[in-house]
Amino acid sequence: MVSKTDDIPASVPSCNPVDLAREGETANDKDTTSKTASKDPCACGHRGDTAVMNGDAGHDQAEEADSKQDSNADADPAEDANEQEVIVIQDTGFTVKIQAPGTEPFDLQVSPQEMVQEIHQVLMDREDTCHRTCFSLQLDGNVLDNFAELKSIEGLQEGSLLKVVEEPYTVREARIHIRHIRDLLKSLDPSDAYNGVDCNSLSFLSVFTDGDLGDTGKRKKKGNELEQIDCTPPEHILPGSKERPLVPLQPQNKDWKPMQCLKVLTMSGWNPPPGNRKMHGDLMYLYIVTVEDRHVSITASTRGFYLNQSTTYVFNPKPANPSFLSHSLVELLSQIGAAFKKNFTALQKKRVQRNPFERIATPFQVYSWTAPQIDHAMDCVRAEDAYTSRLGYEEHIPGQTRDWNEELQTTRELSRKNLPERLLRERAIFKVHSDFAGAATRGAMAVIDGNVMAINPGEETRMQMFIWNNIFFSLGFDVRDHYRELGGDAAAHAAPTNDLNGVRAYSAVDVEGLYTLGTVVVDYRGYRVTAQSIIPGILEREQEQSVIYGSIDFGKTVVSHPKYLELLEKTSRPLKVQHHAVLNEKDTAVELCSSVECKGIIGNDSRHYILDLLRTFPPDLNYLPVEGEELAPESQKLVFPRQHRHRLACLRQELIEAFVEHRYLLFMKMAALQLMQQKANKDKTAALHDTSTADAESESKPQALEASEKVPDGTPTSPTSSESTLSPDDAEATTVSENSAPENQEAPADLKSAVPTANTNGTHEPSAAERQNGGCDSPLEGKEADENIPGLAQAKELAESLAAEDGSGIDPKSREVVLNACKAVGSISNTSFDIRFNPDIFSPGVRFPDDSTEDIQKQKQLLKDAAAFLVSFQAPSFVKDCLDHSSLPMDGATMTEALHQRGINMRYLGTVLEFVDNMPAKAQLEHIYRIGISELITRCAKHIFKTYLQGVELSALSAAVSHFLNCLLSSFPDAVAHLPADELVSRRKSRKRRNRVPGGGDNTAWASLTPSELWKNINSEAQSYYHFNLQCESVDQAVEKYGLQKITLLREISIKTGIQILIKEYNFDSRHKPAFTEEDILNIFPVVKHVNPKASDAFHFFQSGQAKVQQGFLKEGCELINEALNLFNNVYGAMHVEICACLRLLARLNYIMGDHPEALSNQQKAVLMSERVLGIEHPNTVQEYMHLALYCFANGQLSTALKLLYRARYLMLVVCAEDHPEMALLDSNIGLVLHGVMEYDLSLRFLENALAINSKYHGPRSLKVALSHHLVARVYESKAEFRSALQHEKEGYTRYKNQVGEAHEKTKESSEYLKYLTQQAVALQRTMNEIYKNGSNASIMPLKFTAPSMASVLEQLNIINGIIFIPLSPSPYEEDTMQQPSVRTGGPEN
C-alpha cells in the first residue's frame, strides 16, 4: 500500500519546523504523509522532517533505513553535559528545477540531507503531478538512486534541472498506482476516521473558522467588522438551558459532501492475466463504471493503462479502438469521461487547500464514539485488504512478515552517545512501537472475531493461544489454575495491566543489555487479550528449561543467574527494588533483585529477556488482608485492609516516588534537628538522650508534618524564609517541576545552575527516564513545609559528603546523626538515605531465609507506611489540589489521570469520594464529587458489561449492546431485548460451534437483563469493588441524587467500552419506548493500552523552557520551547500530545510577547492536534478552543472568536455539564466578547452565570468573584443601568479592600470606578428630572454612554485568562486572577 502522500500541499503558508513529518513512516500500517510542507528552511534553520519512505524500502528495518534518513546524522554537536544551545547544525538549502511530462518546469527548495525519495513524495503530492507514482528522476540523463542523499549526487547544485521520466510498470508498481489513485479519490472522505482505520481521526475546527485562520485575518477589514456579526448563540448553549443535544457534536463539514469522480473502480473478475497475455505485458485488469454510467474494462500493462474489449461475461483482452494508452490511470479516465476530469481537478484543488494537520496520520489510532450513518461504497483496495492476508502488508515488504521482536530490540540497541544518535534511536523506537501497537490491535480483534487459528486448537476456548503476524496472543483467563491462589480469573484479568506497567517502568529505565517484550493489552468485545512479541526460540523449548532466573511456579522453585543479577542491580535504584534472598525448594537461599515471578530467559539471539513483570511494584496492603498483620492507624481509621477481587493489587510507581521523597524530607529534618541539638549540648548524656528522642520523634513526625502541610495555599509563606531554606537544587526543582505554586517565581534565577540535583537515594542522580516517570528533579521538590529548620543546609552537606566518600573522614558524632535519621525513616543503608522495597513480601508461597528476619520486618513496616501514606497524605492532597483549583478534572479520564499522577489507584475512588463528602467545603468540590460518582457508576457498568458481552454471539452483538444501554440509561422501565429473528432457529447449529469462537454459550441469556437488575448489580459492584454505597435503584434516581446527566454517562461508558453509536437525538427520558434500538449501535472498537516511548531530550528542553518562562525570561524560554518542538517533531513525527502541549505554550508566549498572528497560527495547530490525537471533545480540546478564541479576538476576528467559544461551551456541557469552575472562565470570556460587540443582554446572561459559579467554587471572599462583579458592573454601565452597576462594583470594592487592603492599586481602581459610576448616575438622574419638570423643551445635557473599546475588552480578557504582560513576581491580586499560567501551560497533562 503506497504512502498516502496525496495529502500535503506543496506550500504551506507558515513554515514551521513543526510542520510536517511523520518520519520514516513506512508503507505499512500508517499511511505515510510526505514532508513537503517543511520544504523551505524555516526561520530557525531546521527542517521539521526527514525522509518518508515509500514502497520498496517499505518497512524501514528501523536501523538501516532510519540511519540513512536522519537529517542530523552528520551534525557534530559540541556536546556538553548541560547543553542548552541549539544543537542541530544544518546545511543551507538550495533550489532545483523539476520538469515533469506535460507540465511547466517548477522550482523546488531542497536540503542536502534529503534523499531523492523525498522529492518523489513531493511530486506525488503536488496538485499537478499527484497522479504519477511510477517514475524516476534523472539529472543529465543519469537515473538518481532513490536512497541517495542529495549532497552525495555529483553535479547536483543550485538551479540543476531534474527530469521526471516515466518508468515501465510491474505488478507491484501497478498495485501501488491504483492504491494511490484510490487514496486521491478518497482524500476528503471522513469514513476512515469514523471507522477508526489507518490512523485517521476527526477534526472539526475548520467548520468554525471557515478555512484557515491565518489568511482570513489579513483579508478582512479589521475595523468595521462589527456590523455583520450574528452573535446569537444556539439555544442549547445558553446558561441554564436543560437540553443537551448530541448532533452538534459533529457539525456538517461541507467539504465532506463527496464529489463523485467514478461510480466503481474495482479489480476485474478476469484477473490474473493468463500466460499468453502475460507475455504481451498484461499485469492486471480493472473494471470501472464512470459517472456517466459507462462500463469499461481496463488493462494495466507494463507500458501503462488502456481500454480493452472485455465485458462482464466475455474476455477479450485486445485493445479497444481508440485504446487511450496512458501512463497514468487518471489521464486515461480523464479522456473517457468529462465528469471525471472536472471533479477530479476540483477534488485535488480542495485536497491541497486543507490544513496538513487535518490529514497526517496519528501515531496511535483514535476512535470516535459517535458517527453518522455512512453510505458503504465499493472500494477495491479495502476489499483486497480484507481478504488477502495482509499481515503487515506483505505485498510491499521485502522479506514478508515483520519480525517484531527483532525490530523492537534492535532499535533499543542503537547507539545513544550524542544528541543526533539519541534522536535517531528514539525515533526508531517510537516508530516501531506505534506500528507494533497497530498490528497487535488488529491481531487481537482477529483473534476474538474468530479469524485466527489457535496454536492449541484442541483445548477449550478460554485456554487457547494464538500466533499471528509474529505476535503471540493469549486471553485474560486463568488458564490451568495458574492464578488460583491469587484470585482466579480476576487476577488473570489484572495481571496483564500490571505486567504492562512493569514493562513501562523497565523500558523507561532503559538499561543496556536488559530486554523486555513488546506488550500491548487489548480489551475487545468483553475479552482481554495480551499481545506480546516472541522471544526467539521460546516456542521450541519447554519453559522449565529456558527460565534461568526467577520462578515459574510463584516461588516454589526459584533459580538465579549472575548476569541477570548484574543487569537488574542497575534497575534496583531507580525502581526502588531491594536486592534480597528467598528460599528455593531445597531450602537454600537464592539471590534475587526483582519479584520471584519475574522470569529471565536468554533467547536464541543471546539477549537477556525479562518477562512477567506483574509484581515490579510492591503490594498494596490496604487491599491485601494478611492474617496477623496490623496496618498503620491511619489505614485502620478508614477501615483498611479491605478484601479485593484478587491479590495482585500493587502500589503505583508514582506513589513509590512520592513516598520516597516524603521520607527524604523527614530524613533531612531529623538530621538537622539532631545537629542543632548536638550544637546546643556538647556533653555525652545529651547525645545519648538525643538518640532516643530521635526515635520517638520518628513516631510523631509524620502526623506533625501532615498537619503542617495541610496549611492551605492561601496563607502567604514569607518568601524570605522559604528561600533561605531552599537550597539551590531545591530551587531548581521548584522552578522546573513544581510549576504551580506562585511562590516559586521568586526563586532566584542564579540558583538554577548551582549544585547538581540532590540525590534521591544517596548518590544516584535521577535519570531522564525516571523523571518523566513521575519521578522528580529533587526529593525536596518545592515543599514549603520545612519553613525554617535551622541546620537543614548543614544536614544536607553532611548527607552528601557521606554519600560521596566511604564515610571515613567524618566524625563519629555526625555519622551517628545520619545513622539515627536512617533508622527513623526506614532506609536500607545506615550511612545514607536509601529506601527500596522488597516486592516478594506477603507473596503466597515465597519463603525467606532465617537470617533476614529483621530485614523482612523492616520491609513489612515500610509497606504499611506506604499504604498509610497513600490514604493519609496523597488522597487528601488530591482533594486539596481540587479545592484550590490547581487540579481541574473535567471528565472521568482527566480525573483518573489526576489520581494516577499522585499515585492513587482507581480502586481508591470510593475512598476519595468519601473524603470529598466529608470535607467542610463540600460545596466547593461538588464538581469533583459529581465526576467521581459518574466515573464510579460507569466503571461498575463496564465491569458488568465485560462479562455480559462474553455470552453474546456475533450476530446478536448490536441487539445486545443496545439492550444493555437501554437498561443502563433509558427511563423506559421494561426494556425488552429484540432478539434477531433467525437467532432462535440456529440454536442447534451454534451448540456445535461453541468451542470455536470465544463467546459461544447460551447466547440469549443476555436478553433477560432488566434495568432494575442491572442497577442492582451496579450497586453491589460499587460496594464490593469500591466499597462505596451508591443506593440508586434506577438511572433516574442516580441522575436526581447526584446531579448527573445522561449524555455524559453515555459518553463515559461508550469511551470505556469502545462502543460507537449513531449520532442523533436520543430520548432517554421517554417512559414509553427505549432510547436505543439495535440500528443505533454502529461498531465496537478495541480499548488499547500500550507503552508510550518518550522523547527524553525534547522533554528536557521543554522543561527548561517552562522553567525559564516561570522566571520571566520569555525570550530564552521561547527559544528552548522552539527547540523542544523541533526535537519532538524529530522523534514523534508531526502529531503527538506532547507536541500539542508544546504548541500551546509557544502560542501563549507568542501572544504575551505581542506576536498575535504567530500565536494564532501555533494555537490553531494545537487545536487541530488536540482534536486529532485526544478526541474532538476531550477536555484538553475544550481548553485549546478557549485559547484560540482569545487569540482570534486579539487578531480582530470577533465572529470567529465567538463561534469558537460557543463550540467550547457546547463541548463542555456534553463533557461535564454547566456546574464546573472552568465554566465560569469560559462564560466570562463569552460575556466579555459579547460586551465588546455590544450584545449587552446576552453578555449579562453569561457574566452573571460566571459570577454565580465563581461565588460557589471560589468562596464569596475570592478575588475572582470581585473581578466577576466588576465585569458585570461594566456591562450595566454600558446599558446605562447605573444602580445595578454601582451595586456590583461595591461588592467588588469590598472584596478588594478586605483582601488586599486600601493601598492596593486594584482597590484604588475600583474606588475610582465607583466615583465615576456615581457621577454618571447623578447626571442621568438630573437629566431625567429636567425632562419631568420641563417636558419636551428641556435642555438635555448629552450623556456619555461608553461602548467599550476593543482594547479594554482585550485587557479584561487577558486578566481573566491569567495572561500578564509584565513578567514580575505576581501580586496577590494577580495570583488569584491569574490561574497561575504555569498550571495552564504545564506539560501535556493539563
Side-chain angles (χ1 to χ4, degrees):
M1 169 174 144
V2 75
S3 35
K4 190 166 185 183
T5 47
D6 56 298
D7 308 44
I8 291 165
S11 59
V12 171
S14 67
C15 165
N16 242 8
V18 189
D19 260 334
L20 305 177
R22 290 271 312 127
E23 291 318 331
E25 193 45 297
T26 60
N28 69 59
D29 290 14
K30 310 265 187 342
D31 289 4
T32 11
T33 20
S34 73
K35 39 137 277 227
T36 13
S38 19
K39 268 322 205 182
D40 34 41
C42 10
C44 25
H46 295 290
R47 282 174 28 263
D49 62 272
T50 351
V52 172
M53 314 189 42
N54 160 27
D56 322 275
H59 70 315
D60 78 332
Q61 254 309 353
E63 340 53 299
E64 323 135 14
D66 246 318
S67 57
K68 281 194 203 147
Q69 334 161 8
D70 181 36
S71 58
N72 323 320
D74 21 26
D76 48 345
E79 182 81 344
D80 77 279
N82 55 352
E83 60 197 338
Q84 292 294 357
E85 303 315 308
V86 174
I87 300 127
V88 193
I89 298 161
Q90 298 273 349
D91 297 337
T92 45
F94 57 94
T95 313
V96 293
K97 270 201 170 356
I98 303 237
Q99 163 83 65
T103 58
E104 291 295 304
F106 59 88
D107 286 345
L108 185 65
Q109 177 91 28
V110 291
S111 127
Q113 284 96 357
E114 277 176 40
M115 291 195 290
V116 175
Q117 175 66 40
E118 299 180 53
I119 301 182
H120 273 249
Q121 295 291 25
V122 178
L123 296 178
M124 285 166 63
D125 190 66
R126 273 183 70 98
E127 201 180 329
D128 48 0
T129 54
C130 64
H131 54 273
R132 304 184 179 282
T133 59
C134 185
F135 58 86
S136 62
L137 290 169
Q138 300 190 357
L139 175 65
D140 309 329
N142 299 326
V143 177
L144 305 184
D145 165 20
N146 259 346
F147 296 109
E149 289 193 344
L150 298 186
K151 58 176 177 221
S152 66
I153 296 169
E154 273 181 53
L156 183 62
Q157 61 207 31
E158 180 72 37
S160 294
L161 178 70
L162 291 179
K163 283 210 166 99
V164 174
V165 180
E166 297 171 344
E167 292 290 331
Y169 284 98
T170 59
V171 174
R172 193 174 159 279
E173 283 292 348
R175 281 214 145 127
I176 286 178
H177 186 75
I178 292 158
R179 260 176 195 272
H180 181 62
I181 300 304
R182 170 264 197 174
D183 283 344
L184 291 179
L185 293 174
K186 280 191 57 174
S187 54
L188 294 181
D189 176 8
S191 55
D192 278 356
Y194 286 121
N195 295 330
V197 290
D198 288 342
C199 286
N200 285 310
S201 57
L202 298 166
S203 159
F204 290 101
L205 177 63
S206 55
V207 178
F208 301 98
T209 55
D210 301 325
D212 200 23
L213 285 171
D215 317 339
T216 45
K218 299 189 187 72
R219 280 205 303 273
K220 284 186 189 152
K221 293 193 290 299
K222 296 237 168 109
N224 53 3
E225 207 201 337
L226 286 180
E227 291 82 273
Q228 68 273 23
I229 298 181
D230 174 24
C231 309
T232 341
E235 257 325 282
H236 59 261
I237 70 157
L238 285 172
S241 158
K242 284 284 164 272
E243 54 168 329
R244 296 280 180 269
L246 187 56
V247 173
L249 184 59
Q250 298 191 356
Q252 280 305 298
N253 190 333
K254 51 184 186 302
D255 280 354
W256 290 352
K257 299 274 183 297
M259 277 186 268
Q260 206 181 20
C261 300
L262 288 176
K263 284 193 176 164
V264 178
L265 157 64
T266 178
M267 296 295 170
S268 153
W270 298 116
N271 280 322
N276 62 330
R277 288 309 304 170
K278 259 194 184 152
M279 299 169 77
H280 280 87
D282 292 8
L283 302 171
M284 63 175 80
Y285 304 118
L286 307 174
Y287 171 68
I288 283 176
V289 182
T290 65
V291 183
E292 297 90 347
D293 248 345
R294 181 174 169 197
H295 294 236
V296 291
S297 189
I298 291 180
T299 301
S301 74
T302 47
R303 292 171 50 206
F305 297 81
Y306 61 83
L307 297 189
N308 61 36
Q309 296 175 32
S310 302
T311 62
T312 320
Y313 302 113
V314 180
F315 180 58
N316 180 356
K318 296 270 186 287
N321 189 12
S323 72
F324 298 120
L325 172 66
S326 314
H327 191 265
S328 131
L329 187 55
V330 172
E331 288 170 358
L332 171 65
L333 294 170
S334 301
Q335 286 174 299
I336 59 175
F340 177 87
K341 187 172 186 176
K342 178 168 147 263
N343 291 352
F344 186 77
T345 321
L347 185 71
Q348 296 322 307
K349 273 212 166 40
K350 271 210 164 129
R351 176 180 67 81
V352 294
Q353 280 160 10
R354 282 180 68 198
N355 190 305
F357 284 102
E358 293 180 63
R359 338 173 281 209
I360 302 170
T362 57
F364 300 101
Q365 184 64 57
V366 178
Y367 300 101
S368 163
W369 64 279
T370 50
Q373 199 71 60
I374 306 173
D375 301 330
H376 193 60
M378 243 188 212
D379 180 343
C380 62
V381 175
R382 187 187 58 216
E384 180 189 29
D385 284 348
Y387 293 113
T388 48
S389 108
R390 57 167 195 165
L391 309 181
Y393 298 97
E394 298 84 340
E395 316 89 294
H396 306 301
I397 294 181
Q400 301 302 301
T401 51
R402 297 174 68 167
D403 180 344
W404 291 110
N405 190 66
E406 189 51 37
E407 289 193 35
L408 286 161
Q409 313 310 349
T410 334
T411 49
R412 286 230 167 259
E413 288 165 349
L414 293 174
S415 130
R416 41 176 152 174
K417 292 198 258 318
N418 52 24
L419 186 82
E421 282 184 356
R422 283 198 300 274
L423 288 179
L424 189 69
R425 173 174 183 268
E426 283 174 349
R427 174 194 314 159
I429 290 175
F430 182 75
K431 181 72 189 69
V432 174
H433 265 287
S434 82
D435 288 356
F436 177 69
T441 308
R442 283 201 305 277
M445 290 167 73
V447 163
I448 298 301
D449 290 338
N451 305 339
V452 180
M453 175 84 175
I455 48 179
N456 49 346
E459 309 204 31
E460 63 159 320
T461 5
R462 21 183 315 133
M463 314 212 7
Q464 289 179 350
M465 291 168 273
F466 305 83
I467 288 183
W468 178 91
N469 190 1
N470 280 329
I471 304 174
F472 173 77
F473 297 91
S474 52
L475 299 173
F477 294 117
D478 185 10
V479 182
R480 303 193 184 77
D481 287 339
H482 188 63
Y483 290 106
R484 195 176 56 210
E485 306 268 290
L486 299 167
D489 279 349
H493 190 264
T497 45
N498 278 5
D499 182 38
L500 181 65
N501 287 334
V503 171
R504 251 186 217 133
Y506 277 103
S507 23
V509 175
D510 212 3
V511 167
E512 224 164 299
L514 188 64
Y515 297 89
T516 53
L517 301 182
T519 308
V520 175
V521 178
V522 180
D523 289 299
Y524 177 60
R525 284 181 47 196
Y527 295 92
R528 172 159 283 183
V529 187
T530 310
Q532 290 171 309
S533 61
I534 301 170
I535 297 180
I538 182 129
L539 298 168
E540 293 96 83
R541 312 179 266 188
E542 275 301 303
Q543 209 183 14
E544 284 73 30
Q545 309 154 9
S546 31
V547 171
I548 59 162
Y549 172 89
S551 160
I552 55 172
D553 46 20
F554 288 103
K556 292 182 191 58
T557 54
V558 191
V559 286
S560 187
H561 186 279
K563 179 69 180 158
Y564 271 101
L565 284 175
E566 175 201 329
L567 288 167
L568 286 166
E569 190 60 60
K570 295 179 188 162
T571 65
S572 97
R573 187 154 238 157
L575 297 179
K576 322 272 186 279
V577 177
Q578 192 189 5
H579 192 111
H580 60 278
V582 299
L583 294 176
N584 63 10
E585 72 288 7
K586 305 192 188 74
D587 283 341
T588 45
V590 178
E591 289 286 308
L592 292 178
C593 197
S594 64
S595 68
V596 284
E597 294 85 357
C598 167
K599 304 174 191 34
I601 296 181
I602 299 186
N604 287 356
D605 51 5
S606 46
R607 292 189 178 111
H608 292 76
Y609 292 92
I610 47 169
L611 54 158
D612 287 348
L613 307 173
L614 51 143
R615 287 241 173 126
T616 303
F617 299 110
D620 178 357
L621 295 193
N622 288 332
Y623 282 94
L624 190 72
V626 182
E627 276 181 35
E629 292 288 347
E630 286 270 295
L631 285 188
E634 297 97 321
S635 296
Q636 288 183 0
K637 196 164 70 210
L638 296 162
V639 236
F640 286 109
R642 298 175 176 174
Q643 209 54 54
H644 197 51
R645 294 274 147 90
H646 53 78
R647 302 181 65 84
L648 290 179
C650 49
L651 299 169
R652 295 184 63 87
Q653 187 172 11
E654 297 92 335
L655 184 91
I656 301 296
E657 304 273 351
F659 176 71
V660 170
E661 253 172 63
H662 176 76
R663 279 289 157 109
Y664 184 64
L665 202 68
L666 277 183
F667 168 77
M668 281 308 189
K669 288 185 180 167
M670 308 277 325
L673 284 164
Q674 289 181 59
L675 283 170
M676 295 314 292
Q677 278 170 342
Q678 271 188 11
K679 254 203 195 106
N681 27 9
K682 284 273 189 264
D683 45 330
K684 232 184 188 106
T685 47
L688 282 170
H689 162 75
D690 200 345
T691 351
S692 55
T693 49
D695 284 344
E697 176 139 67
S698 71
E699 306 301 294
S700 61
K701 194 69 199 177
Q703 285 85 338
L705 189 71
E706 188 186 321
S708 70
E709 290 225 348
K710 275 201 178 136
V711 183
D713 268 6
T715 50
T717 42
S718 72
T720 45
S721 64
S722 64
E723 248 164 57
S724 59
T725 57
L726 280 179
S727 58
D729 43 282
D730 196 13
E732 144 130 275
T734 328
T735 44
V736 179
S737 317
E738 179 81 338
N739 48 13
S740 55
E743 277 84 16
N744 42 2
Q745 275 151 323
E746 291 149 2
D750 53 344
L751 291 180
K752 189 100 177 64
S753 49
V755 191
T757 334
N759 312 337
T760 319
N761 286 339
T763 52
H764 165 71
E765 165 81 26
S767 70
E770 292 164 64
R771 288 188 196 163
Q772 287 155 31
N773 249 326
C776 296
D777 291 34
S778 134
L780 282 174
E781 187 148 1
K783 299 270 189 293
E784 265 114 40
D786 48 70
E787 276 329 305
N788 263 338
I789 300 177
L792 192 62
Q794 203 182 339
K796 178 168 271 172
E797 259 167 56
L798 174 63
E800 277 166 9
S801 57
L802 268 175
E805 310 168 25
D806 51 358
S808 48
I810 290 172
D811 69 296
K813 278 225 180 86
S814 313
R815 196 166 308 143
E816 185 184 10
V817 167
V818 173
L819 174 71
N820 291 336
C822 282
K823 271 201 186 130
V825 297
S827 163
I828 58 168
S829 137
N830 285 334
T831 54
S832 68
F833 174 82
D834 191 355
I835 287 188
R836 306 188 197 187
F837 293 86
N838 175 343
D840 284 331
I841 306 253
F842 300 127
S843 294
V846 176
R847 300 169 309 138
F848 297 102
D850 298 339
D851 56 5
S852 58
T853 345
E854 186 193 344
D855 203 30
I856 299 302
Q857 274 321 109
K858 239 188 186 173
Q859 282 294 333
K860 286 184 177 172
Q861 191 50 50
L862 256 186
L863 284 179
K864 291 174 190 172
D865 292 350
F869 174 74
L870 195 157
V871 288
S872 65
F873 207 93
Q874 292 301 83
S877 89
F878 166 74
V879 176
K880 177 182 154 301
D881 285 347
C882 292
L883 197 55
D884 60 25
H885 303 283
S886 54
S887 175
L888 262 185
M890 267 158 75
D891 67 345
T894 41
M895 181 166 196
T896 305
E897 204 176 338
L899 285 165
H900 282 170
Q901 274 170 7
R902 289 165 182 76
I904 304 169
N905 310 69
M906 286 316 280
R907 56 176 170 271
Y908 286 98
L909 184 57
T911 314
V912 171
L913 286 173
E914 274 162 20
F915 266 123
V916 173
D917 205 18
N918 300 329
M919 288 285 283
K922 187 193 166 187
Q924 295 185 25
L925 287 166
E926 215 171 282
H927 61 298
I928 299 294
Y929 195 65
R930 202 177 41 244
I931 293 168
I933 291 283
S934 85
E935 181 69 352
L936 188 122
I937 291 176
T938 45
R939 277 177 181 260
C940 293
K942 177 185 77 172
H943 297 170
I944 297 162
F945 185 64
K946 185 182 80 205
T947 38
Y948 170 88
L949 268 193
Q950 289 177 6
V952 181
E953 71 167 25
L954 198 49
S955 61
L957 205 52
S958 53
V961 173
S962 64
H963 178 59
F964 184 88
L965 289 178
N966 281 328
C967 293
L968 180 66
L969 297 171
S970 180
S971 307
F972 181 58
D974 30 0
V976 181
H978 300 282
L979 288 174
D982 58 3
E983 189 87 336
L984 305 165
V985 193
S986 66
R987 217 45 192 288
R988 257 191 13 263
K989 282 193 298 215
S990 73
R991 282 285 143 74
K992 287 201 212 83
R993 280 207 324 254
R994 180 181 313 170
N995 259 347
R996 285 216 302 274
V997 186
D1002 174 7
N1003 43 29
T1004 55
W1006 58 267
S1008 58
L1009 184 72
T1010 62
S1012 59
E1013 184 194 352
L1014 175 59
W1015 277 90
K1016 205 189 294 76
N1017 292 346
I1018 287 178
N1019 279 303
S1020 66
E1021 181 72 11
Q1023 189 55 56
S1024 70
Y1025 195 91
Y1026 296 106
H1027 302 274
F1028 188 82
N1029 194 352
L1030 257 184
Q1031 296 174 313
C1032 296
E1033 280 153 39
S1034 69
V1035 65
D1036 294 324
Q1037 198 182 337
V1039 165
E1040 189 53 40
K1041 181 170 172 183
Y1042 296 112
L1044 310 175
Q1045 46 178 29
K1046 289 185 178 179
I1047 191 167
T1048 304
L1049 289 170
L1050 175 63
R1051 171 179 179 265
E1052 293 282 357
I1053 189 76
S1054 303
I1055 289 173
K1056 284 183 180 50
T1057 53
I1059 302 170
Q1060 187 185 54
I1061 58 166
L1062 179 63
I1063 188 160
K1064 68 171 205 191
E1065 298 315 342
Y1066 291 96
N1067 182 358
F1068 296 108
D1069 301 331
S1070 158
R1071 306 198 63 80
H1072 311 297
K1073 63 183 217 305
F1076 299 90
T1077 67
E1078 54 184 290
E1079 298 306 310
D1080 296 331
I1081 310 299
L1082 298 182
N1083 210 336
I1084 189 155
F1085 291 124
V1087 176
V1088 186
K1089 301 181 176 69
H1090 52 80
V1091 177
N1092 267 317
K1094 286 272 177 270
S1096 49
D1097 288 292
F1099 193 74
H1100 282 153
F1101 273 100
F1102 184 67
Q1103 279 191 318
S1104 16
Q1106 275 182 314
K1108 283 276 185 235
V1109 172
Q1110 292 286 309
Q1111 297 162 7
F1113 302 117
L1114 298 189
K1115 218 164 183 49
E1116 293 89 328
C1118 206
E1119 279 165 17
L1120 285 166
I1121 305 261
N1122 256 317
E1123 189 54 36
L1125 183 56
N1126 237 346
L1127 303 183
F1128 276 135
N1129 274 304
N1130 246 317
V1131 174
Y1132 297 139
M1135 275 276 163
H1136 196 273
V1137 271
E1138 286 175 18
I1139 298 183
C1140 180
C1142 217
L1143 285 166
R1144 175 200 326 165
L1145 184 49
L1146 210 48
R1148 199 177 176 94
L1149 289 172
N1150 295 141
Y1151 181 72
I1152 290 175
M1153 287 152 66
D1155 187 348
H1156 295 176
E1158 189 59 19
L1160 195 57
S1161 140
N1162 280 326
Q1163 187 58 32
Q1164 184 184 7
K1165 289 172 195 157
V1167 175
L1168 285 170
M1169 203 171 295
S1170 184
E1171 286 191 304
R1172 296 282 321 278
V1173 181
L1174 292 167
I1176 54 172
E1177 79 305 305
H1178 189 280
N1180 190 64
T1181 309
V1182 178
Q1183 300 251 333
E1184 304 296 10
Y1185 264 100
M1186 266 164 63
H1187 295 317
L1188 184 61
L1190 172 65
Y1191 308 152
C1192 275
F1193 185 87
N1195 269 303
Q1197 302 177 22
L1198 309 189
S1199 55
T1200 308
L1202 266 178
K1203 279 189 215 158
L1204 296 170
L1205 287 168
Y1206 290 158
R1207 170 69 171 170
R1209 191 171 209 275
Y1210 167 73
L1211 293 176
M1212 198 151 158
L1213 287 174
V1214 171
V1215 170
C1216 66
E1218 195 161 59
D1219 187 18
H1220 190 283
E1222 199 65 351
M1223 192 56 100
L1225 178 63
L1226 185 48
D1227 282 354
S1228 305
N1229 273 301
I1230 297 177
L1232 273 168
V1233 176
L1234 286 168
H1235 185 197
V1237 296
M1238 304 196 291
E1239 290 278 349
Y1240 302 135
D1241 295 332
L1242 265 180
S1243 170
L1244 274 179
R1245 287 184 71 169
F1246 286 102
L1247 288 175
E1248 285 177 332
N1249 190 48
L1251 174 60
I1253 295 178
N1254 273 334
S1255 313
K1256 171 174 176 181
Y1257 285 110
H1258 292 274
R1261 309 217 326 269
S1262 154
L1263 298 180
K1264 270 209 167 44
V1265 180
L1267 183 63
S1268 266
H1269 277 296
H1270 173 64
L1271 298 179
V1272 174
R1274 289 182 39 166
V1275 182
Y1276 276 123
E1277 181 215 338
S1278 298
K1279 289 181 69 177
E1281 294 180 22
F1282 295 113
R1283 182 164 298 154
S1284 309
L1286 274 166
Q1287 211 174 335
H1288 278 288
E1289 191 54 42
K1290 273 189 191 127
E1291 293 281 337
Y1293 174 70
T1294 328
R1295 285 177 176 74
Y1296 285 131
K1297 196 172 76 180
N1298 297 340
Q1299 297 298 313
V1300 295
E1302 300 247 356
H1304 194 281
E1305 55 175 319
K1306 277 293 157 192
T1307 324
K1308 287 184 190 148
E1309 272 173 32
S1310 181
S1311 84
E1312 286 298 309
Y1313 186 53
L1314 273 173
K1315 279 187 202 136
Y1316 166 74
L1317 284 176
T1318 320
Q1319 285 165 6
Q1320 289 295 84
V1322 171
L1324 179 67
Q1325 199 53 51
R1326 275 208 200 106
T1327 311
M1328 299 308 278
N1329 294 347
E1330 177 77 11
I1331 292 175
Y1332 291 137
K1333 208 163 64 199
N1334 300 350
S1336 54
N1337 55 1
S1339 57
I1340 303 173
M1341 287 290 292
L1343 277 175
K1344 296 205 297 272
F1345 285 142
T1346 48
S1349 71
M1350 285 304 145
S1352 72
V1353 173
L1354 188 58
E1355 181 189 358
Q1356 296 297 333
L1357 277 172
N1358 289 332
I1359 292 177
I1360 60 170
N1361 287 299
I1363 288 175
I1364 289 183
F1365 286 96
I1366 312 127
L1368 297 173
S1369 63
S1371 59
Y1373 161 71
E1374 284 147 353
E1375 234 164 69
D1376 192 285
T1377 49
M1378 197 173 139
Q1379 299 249 314
Q1380 296 148 12
S1382 45
V1383 180
R1384 306 212 162 265
T1385 51
E1389 63 280 356
N1390 295 316

